[in-house]
Amino acid sequence: MSVRNLDRLLAPRAVALFGASPTAGSVGRKLFDNLRGGGFKGPVRPVNPKHAAIDGEPCFADAAALPEPPDLAVVATPPEIVPEMIAAAGAAGARAAVVITAGLDDRNGLRKKMLRAAQPYGLRVQGPNCLGLQVPPLGLDASFAHLLARPGKLAFLSQSGALISAVLDWAAARDIGFSCVVSMGDMADVDVGDLLD
């Protein structure tokens, strides 16, 4: 168990979204909308070589083109390029990542490649295969959830994204807030013990 660089996960100053998309209904679009709509004060930079801009905001071709180092990388790309995105994010200064993408497992070797790519930078990985992360007091919604939790003092951790969605609905109806909401997914790196610490 280690809390190394989890401050970059839970209190980032800048965020880069790898796999941002202008396509309505896509995960990359929902993440971009949530990141921009939560009230987060730091820069949110979309990264996708296929687009020069999304909704009038510059979209960067790769991590090297970002104007500032991101503390947090949010990754929603096809699984086969996730290790490459993690390495690029680490080289650009990221020390934490939320990997939304599913399909990284030991059978295809992508899980190990992702962790090897993160290792030289001490980059911590939440996920893969997760709903994302919310830190309501910061206005950070790095998830594709349907709503952002209200700010509060209760932290909520769950492996299950479906359970998180249900609890967000339940809490909203009762005016219950959260300090953070973390969907842990497959827990390739960051796990319950790390987050509890």
Side-chain angles (χ1 to χ4, degrees):
M1 289 185 272
S2 170
V3 298
R4 183 181 183 198
N5 288 331
L6 290 187
D7 58 325
R8 306 289 187 95
L9 180 73
L10 299 172
R13 294 162 296 185
V15 179
L17 172 58
F18 294 80
S21 172
T23 306
S26 68
V27 172
R29 179 56 191 242
K30 181 65 174 169
L31 284 163
F32 189 51
D33 289 346
N34 283 359
L35 280 163
R36 290 189 306 163
F40 180 65
K41 302 297 185 208
V44 173
R45 307 295 186 190
V47 180
N48 190 327
K50 296 178 181 176
H51 307 286
I54 299 176
D55 282 355
E57 292 193 32
C59 187
F60 299 89
D62 54 37
L66 292 168
E68 69 277 307
D71 285 330
L72 177 64
V74 181
V75 182
T77 64
E80 55 275 4
I81 65 169
V82 167
E84 176 187 340
M85 296 300 101
I86 291 293
R95 293 299 174 261
V98 177
V99 179
I100 305 293
T101 306
L104 290 94
D105 56 42
D106 292 334
R107 290 170 299 188
N108 58 25
L110 291 174
R111 177 181 166 130
K112 287 180 183 174
K113 288 179 182 176
M114 175 187 70
L115 293 174
R116 278 199 301 267
Q119 191 173 19
Y121 307 102
L123 188 150
R124 302 304 304 276
V125 177
Q126 174 193 331
N129 189 25
C130 69
L131 185 69
L133 166 73
Q134 295 185 351
V135 186
L138 298 181
L140 177 66
D141 188 357
S143 78
F144 63 99
H146 60 291
L147 59 88
L148 174 61
R150 290 178 171 87
K153 296 182 179 180
L154 179 66
F156 180 47
L157 315 174
S158 175
Q159 182 278 327
S160 167
L163 182 59
I164 284 180
S165 293
V167 168
L168 288 176
D169 283 336
W170 176 85
R174 290 159 179 81
D175 200 26
I176 295 170
F178 296 92
S179 59
C180 65
V181 177
V182 184
S183 168
M184 296 178 291
D186 291 345
M187 292 181 276
D189 173 27
V190 176
D191 62 18
V192 177
D194 299 329
L195 290 165
L196 287 176
D197 285 349

